Amino acid sequence: MSDQISPLAPRKYPKMPAIKGVRIATAEAGIKYRNRTDLLTMLLDEGTEVAGVFTRSKCPSAPVDYCRENLPGGKARILVVNSGNANAFTGKKGRETTAATGKAAASAAGCKVSEVFQASTGVIGEPLDPAKFTHLLGEMVGQATEDRWLDAAKAIMTTDTYPKVATITVKLGDVDVTINGIAKGAGMIAPDMATMLSFIATDAPIAAPVLQQLLSKGVGATFNSVTVDSDTSTSDTLLLFATGAAAKRGAKRINDPRDPALMPFKRGLNKILKNLALQVVRDGEGARKQVEITVTGARSARSAKRIALSIANSPLVKTAVAGEDANWGRVVMAVGKSGEPADRDLLSIWFGDNRLAHQGERDPNYSEEATSTYMKSDEIRIRADIGIGRGKATVWTCDLTKEYVAINGDYRS
Amino acid sequence: MSDQISPLAPRKYPKMPAIKGVRIATAEAGIKYRNRTDLLTMLLDEGTEVAGVFTRSKCPSAPVDYCRENLPGGKARILVVNSGNANAFTGKKGRETTAATGKAAASAAGCKVSEVFQASTGVIGEPLDPAKFTHLLGEMVGQATEDRWLDAAKAIMTTDTYPKVATITVKLGDVDVTINGIAKGAGMIAPDMATMLSFIATDAPIAAPVLQQLLSKGVGATFNSVTVDSDTSTSDTLLLFATGAAAKRGAKRINDPRDPALMPFKRGLNKILKNLALQVVRDGEGARKQVEITVTGARSARSAKRIALSIANSPLVKTAVAGEDANWGRVVMAVGKSGEPADRDLLSIWFGDNRLAHQGERDPNYSEEATSTYMKSDEIRIRADIGIGRGKATVWTCDLTKEYVAINGDYRS
């Protein structure tokens, strides 16, 4: 946790309602941090279904491997998350730690080890001693309550400057169901996949394969469209739990992803995913501005997204935004370096509503003054129209400041 | 030009000998900078052959287009370079400027417009008025002399903190021939291609197609293996001129790229290319340390280079080096995010001679103290052995400091 809270932090937090079938406890295990919580357990009632999306890193952490093994079972009873140590690149010791954690958690929750999910975040390459926290799990299970979502978000923070929570209530048929989510960033954030930890739970009775389909699709325009520094983490984990508790209140169980009753839930879930993904960007290390980049007129949507990410990941674009400089020449550069089809002489570029470049040249009507004023705002929109097709995509990032360098120049020590 | 010279600047410059058939003049045209030279002309004797390599950007500058058009002719008589304005993304006006410059230069040098080569570096997207400098060309041609290589290097600088020159003399058969080169960086430096301006000249009598083959091959392990910030410029131009003047001293003309007499020249040229490429890295914006990244044991050489560039372009690796922190976990992350074949449990990582990780785990014999001392040096070597094949590659980059952000946060204004 940083001393200084991001200027883009939410002004207030939503009141997080209970999700029937989910109980939460946090503890100070002292794994790395002192005087703060660093351990989270989420107890899930019997029958909870689970879906997940993980990092595409070729060097995933031990907990990611562990979750991937358990995911096909589709059932979850307990989630254990620690911050301060990622248990990544820890070899055989890492696998022993996840095995020991799985066993201790299963014993505490009274479930099978295949119903345990876990995640770790923090330093890479340091062995994580399970003895530091597994002895706490039994007591935590006993103390867990339904009203600790904000505490949960706090316990999983690393360099985040604020906890990230979101909630929405939607209809499933005639019955209200709720979706709660938490997330943490704040560096090593790039798409493929979400490059962060996020845990979402609902009381909706939805079968695991349907959840998986919703989640895999939902991350495309949300968690997989944000980038802080292009660095894909070894530990990215997004889990979605459905306790099904709303069935007791008359909600019908959804087994078919094409069920029309699922639409409001799908929209609600996507809102939560986008909300949390943007909160991660807004807390990007050293971030002072949120940057939304939209590419239109590309050969295809896929091409548009690649161009948008080329702009979003360009250090020169990001430092220009930090310097409140509408340096659209660097946007041209980033379009050009993406390698995607583009015609220089058809390219147009906007910062906010100010069109700076049109069809391959500086816009003659472009106002330096209006644009300079616009660049002072803390939410910057950049749009590039490629002019050769109908492909469109939007991604989000933050500016690159000296604070990013300061934070990452001495994170480990 | 920056006020503060890079701590990695060369302690002294080589004395640049004359290249028979090349005369140089520089001038203060006041295109953007004040009280410094910003215009270079290089006069080339009749019969000079030329080869070139350019940016792979899809949005190349007008001068890049101009050079590409003239390159197939294989003949060059004059090179005109300005700093302060890149004449990139300037549309029809940009083409008018290169046409006017070509015409004025041809008239000044008494040659065809197809024998003119030009390059521009500086801000993107601002129209470049040729009237600002074309009137100077006639006088410059008259004043040009053979001994101004360092002046030439100074005139093309933008955010560079020092001029970059290199020279070597090699045998072509029994005859000494000389290769001189200059280059400029210092941001928007990424491979594909060299992302900078560099001009090399020799008195060796070598046919243009042979020169082209040497140059295209030579950039692979040199200019195309350096990266400062992963941002590919719109303007990258590397030109190689061979005046053939050494023929008068008995050097035989080379028309066959397989001619064994060419070997020492080829090695010499590659040395110059590497020397200049490393000077560019060492003057990377805000750079305090040079970083050499070697990947061994990859599936193929191509795969090794991709992994090496993934490490070299990772902001988290680069900030860790800036912070003198041997954070090898971030190297693991960068290997993982490259998407190239890798097996986490076979990976080993060295900083200098200190092996920090071995076969997927922290090396038990790793000394934090020795490594910390090593990280204080200003040339850092990182090696990652992937352990699955024989592919090998080396790339060079620099650290990412607060100064990079400062330089790029207000470059345009």
Side-chain angles (χ1 to χ4, degrees):
Chain A
M1 276 189 289
S2 172
D3 293 341
Q4 217 173 350
I5 290 166
S6 165
L8 305 176
R11 304 234 186 278
K12 58 177 193 170
Y13 291 100
K15 194 174 150 33
M16 298 292 286
I19 300 285
K20 214 69 187 158
V22 181
R23 287 174 301 126
I24 290 166
T26 61
E28 296 186 16
I31 292 163
K32 177 186 166 182
Y33 305 117
R34 301 282 164 234
N35 304 318
R36 57 156 280 193
T37 56
D38 56 358
L39 189 63
L40 160 69
T41 60
M42 204 177 268
L43 276 296
L44 302 153
D45 276 1
E46 201 162 350
T48 296
E49 314 246 353
V50 60
V53 179
F54 304 95
T55 181
R56 287 187 197 145
S57 170
K58 300 278 175 179
C59 301
S61 68
V64 166
D65 280 351
Y66 185 95
C67 288
R68 278 202 174 111
E69 266 169 44
N70 282 353
L71 197 66
K75 298 289 183 189
R77 292 296 308 284
I78 183 167
L79 167 73
V80 179
V81 187
N82 74 278
S83 54
N85 184 319
N87 191 15
F89 206 64
T90 40
K92 192 164 156 265
K93 281 194 206 80
R95 290 188 286 277
E96 286 166 1
T97 297
T98 52
T101 306
K103 229 168 150 179
S107 158
C111 68
K112 299 180 206 156
V113 290
S114 64
E115 295 168 327
V116 175
F117 287 79
Q118 49 182 303
S120 297
T121 177
V123 171
I124 298 176
E126 306 282 338
L128 171 62
D129 182 359
K132 280 195 166 177
F133 60 89
T134 46
H135 63 285
L136 298 169
L137 296 176
E139 201 179 339
M140 290 172 81
V141 166
Q143 291 171 343
T145 61
E146 286 181 336
D147 57 351
R148 298 206 188 139
W149 282 89
L150 191 60
D151 290 341
K154 285 177 181 166
I156 64 173
M157 289 163 71
T158 53
T159 55
D160 305 69
T161 73
Y162 60 84
K164 295 154 189 74
V165 297
T167 182
I168 195 168
T169 296
V170 295
K171 292 280 182 199
L172 192 67
D174 295 333
V175 179
D176 278 342
V177 295
T178 299
I179 310 172
N180 277 7
I182 62 172
K184 60 86 48 182
M188 267 197 210
I189 302 295
D192 304 327
M193 74 134 252
T195 56
M196 69 207 65
L197 302 186
S198 182
F199 309 104
I200 298 172
T202 179
D203 53 355
I206 302 178
V210 179
L211 287 178
Q212 188 63 49
Q213 196 167 320
L214 291 176
L215 193 63
S216 297
K217 192 131 193 261
V219 294
T222 59
F223 277 132
N224 278 353
S225 289
V226 297
T227 178
V228 167
D229 52 15
S230 82
D231 276 347
T232 305
S233 153
T234 54
S235 309
D236 307 334
T237 300
L238 169 59
L239 294 169
L240 170 59
F241 303 105
T243 66
K248 286 186 193 142
R249 291 186 286 111
K252 78 161 178 177
R253 185 176 162 83
I254 306 284
N255 292 306
D256 180 353
R258 290 158 308 178
D259 192 325
L262 196 57
M263 280 309 293
F265 182 89
K266 185 181 167 181
R267 279 195 298 270
L269 175 64
N270 288 344
K271 274 188 190 163
I272 293 291
L273 292 171
K274 183 170 171 188
N275 181 320
L276 290 172
L278 285 185
Q279 285 196 60
V280 168
V281 160
R282 294 171 71 86
D283 200 14
E285 288 170 340
R288 292 288 170 270
K289 290 176 194 291
Q290 175 185 310
V291 189
E292 178 180 289
I293 293 158
T294 299
V295 170
T296 55
R299 179 67 55 83
S300 65
R302 191 191 169 93
S303 177
K305 188 160 179 183
R306 284 198 182 140
I307 296 171
L309 285 172
S310 176
I311 300 169
N313 283 325
S314 159
L316 289 171
V317 171
K318 293 160 80 85
T319 48
V321 173
E324 303 191 337
D325 175 11
N327 194 323
W328 56 274
R330 294 181 182 174
V331 178
V332 176
M333 175 281 300
V335 172
K337 86 164 179 169
S338 72
E340 292 297 312
D343 181 335
R344 179 187 60 198
D345 296 341
L346 295 175
L347 195 56
S348 299
I349 293 167
W350 290 256
F351 278 69
D353 297 326
N354 308 283
R355 191 175 68 185
L356 304 189
H358 184 52
Q359 297 191 338
E361 290 188 59
R362 189 168 65 181
D363 191 317
N365 301 317
Y366 140 61
S367 155
E368 179 86 30
E369 203 189 325
T371 311
S372 291
T373 306
Y374 176 72
M375 294 307 291
K376 295 190 200 303
S377 48
D378 62 10
E379 295 190 11
I380 301 294
R381 283 174 296 116
I382 299 177
R383 182 180 151 209
D385 186 78
I386 310 302
I388 61 168
R390 307 183 70 173
K392 196 185 154 179
T394 297
V395 305
W396 294 271
T397 189
C398 54
D399 55 346
L400 172 57
T401 64
K402 290 179 196 172
E403 286 69 34
Y404 177 88
V405 179
I407 291 164
N408 287 298
D410 49 18
Y411 171 63
R412 204 177 61 121
S413 44
Chain B
M1 277 189 288
S2 172
D3 293 340
Q4 217 174 347
I5 290 165
S6 165
L8 305 176
R11 305 235 185 276
K12 58 178 194 170
Y13 291 100
K15 196 176 148 35
M16 297 293 286
I19 300 285
K20 216 64 187 160
V22 181
R23 286 174 301 126
I24 291 165
T26 61
E28 297 186 15
I31 292 163
K32 177 185 164 183
Y33 305 116
R34 300 284 165 232
N35 304 317
R36 57 156 280 192
T37 57
D38 56 357
L39 188 63
L40 160 68
T41 60
M42 204 177 269
L43 276 297
L44 303 153
D45 276 1
E46 201 163 349
T48 296
E49 313 246 353
V50 60
V53 179
F54 304 95
T55 180
R56 288 187 196 145
S57 171
K58 300 279 175 179
C59 300
S61 68
V64 166
D65 280 351
Y66 186 94
C67 288
R68 277 201 175 113
E69 265 169 44
N70 281 353
L71 198 65
K75 298 288 183 189
R77 293 296 307 285
I78 183 168
L79 167 73
V80 179
V81 188
N82 75 277
S83 55
N85 184 319
N87 191 16
F89 206 66
T90 41
K92 192 163 156 267
K93 282 193 207 79
R95 291 186 286 276
E96 286 166 3
T97 296
T98 52
T101 306
K103 228 168 150 178
S107 158
C111 68
K112 300 180 205 155
V113 291
S114 64
E115 295 169 327
V116 175
F117 286 79
Q118 49 183 300
S120 298
T121 176
V123 170
I124 298 176
E126 305 282 335
L128 171 63
D129 181 359
K132 282 197 164 174
F133 60 90
T134 47
H135 64 285
L136 299 169
L137 295 177
E139 200 179 341
M140 290 173 81
V141 166
Q143 292 172 342
T145 60
E146 286 181 336
D147 57 351
R148 296 204 190 142
W149 281 90
L150 191 60
D151 290 342
K154 284 177 183 166
I156 64 173
M157 288 164 71
T158 53
T159 55
D160 305 70
T161 72
Y162 60 84
K164 294 155 191 74
V165 297
T167 182
I168 195 168
T169 295
V170 294
K171 292 281 181 199
L172 191 66
D174 294 334
V175 178
D176 277 343
V177 297
T178 299
I179 310 172
N180 277 6
I182 62 172
K184 60 86 47 181
M188 267 196 208
I189 302 295
D192 305 327
M193 76 131 249
T195 55
M196 69 205 66
L197 302 186
S198 182
F199 308 105
I200 298 173
T202 178
D203 52 356
I206 302 179
V210 180
L211 286 178
Q212 187 63 49
Q213 198 169 318
L214 291 177
L215 193 63
S216 297
K217 192 132 194 262
V219 294
T222 60
F223 277 130
N224 277 353
S225 289
V226 298
T227 177
V228 167
D229 53 14
S230 83
D231 276 347
T232 305
S233 152
T234 55
S235 308
D236 307 333
T237 299
L238 168 59
L239 294 169
L240 169 59
F241 304 105
T243 66
K248 285 184 194 142
R249 292 187 284 113
K252 78 162 179 177
R253 186 175 160 82
I254 306 284
N255 292 307
D256 180 354
R258 288 158 308 177
D259 192 325
L262 196 58
M263 278 311 292
F265 182 89
K266 185 181 166 181
R267 279 195 298 268
L269 175 65
N270 288 344
K271 273 187 191 163
I272 293 290
L273 292 171
K274 184 170 169 185
N275 181 320
L276 291 172
L278 285 185
Q279 285 196 60
V280 168
V281 161
R282 294 172 71 86
D283 201 14
E285 287 169 341
R288 292 289 171 269
K289 291 177 194 289
Q290 175 185 309
V291 189
E292 178 180 290
I293 292 157
T294 299
V295 170
T296 55
R299 179 69 55 83
S300 65
R302 191 191 168 93
S303 177
K305 189 161 179 182
R306 284 199 183 140
I307 296 171
L309 285 171
S310 176
I311 299 169
N313 283 325
S314 159
L316 289 172
V317 171
K318 293 160 80 85
T319 48
V321 173
E324 304 191 335
D325 175 12
N327 194 324
W328 57 273
R330 293 180 182 174
V331 178
V332 175
M333 175 281 299
V335 172
K337 87 164 177 169
S338 72
E340 292 297 313
D343 180 336
R344 179 187 61 198
D345 296 340
L346 295 175
L347 195 56
S348 299
I349 294 167
W350 291 256
F351 279 69
D353 296 326
N354 308 283
R355 191 175 68 185
L356 304 188
H358 185 52
Q359 297 193 335
E361 290 187 59
R362 188 168 65 181
D363 191 319
N365 302 317
Y366 141 61
S367 155
E368 180 86 30
E369 204 189 327
T371 311
S372 291
T373 306
Y374 177 71
M375 295 307 291
K376 294 191 199 305
S377 49
D378 61 10
E379 296 189 10
I380 301 293
R381 285 174 294 118
I382 299 177
R383 183 180 150 210
D385 186 79
I386 310 302
I388 61 168
R390 307 183 68 172
K392 196 184 155 178
T394 297
V395 306
W396 294 270
T397 188
C398 55
D399 54 346
L400 172 57
T401 65
K402 290 178 195 171
E403 286 70 32
Y404 177 89
V405 179
I407 291 165
N408 287 299
D410 48 17
Y411 171 64
R412 203 177 62 120
S413 44

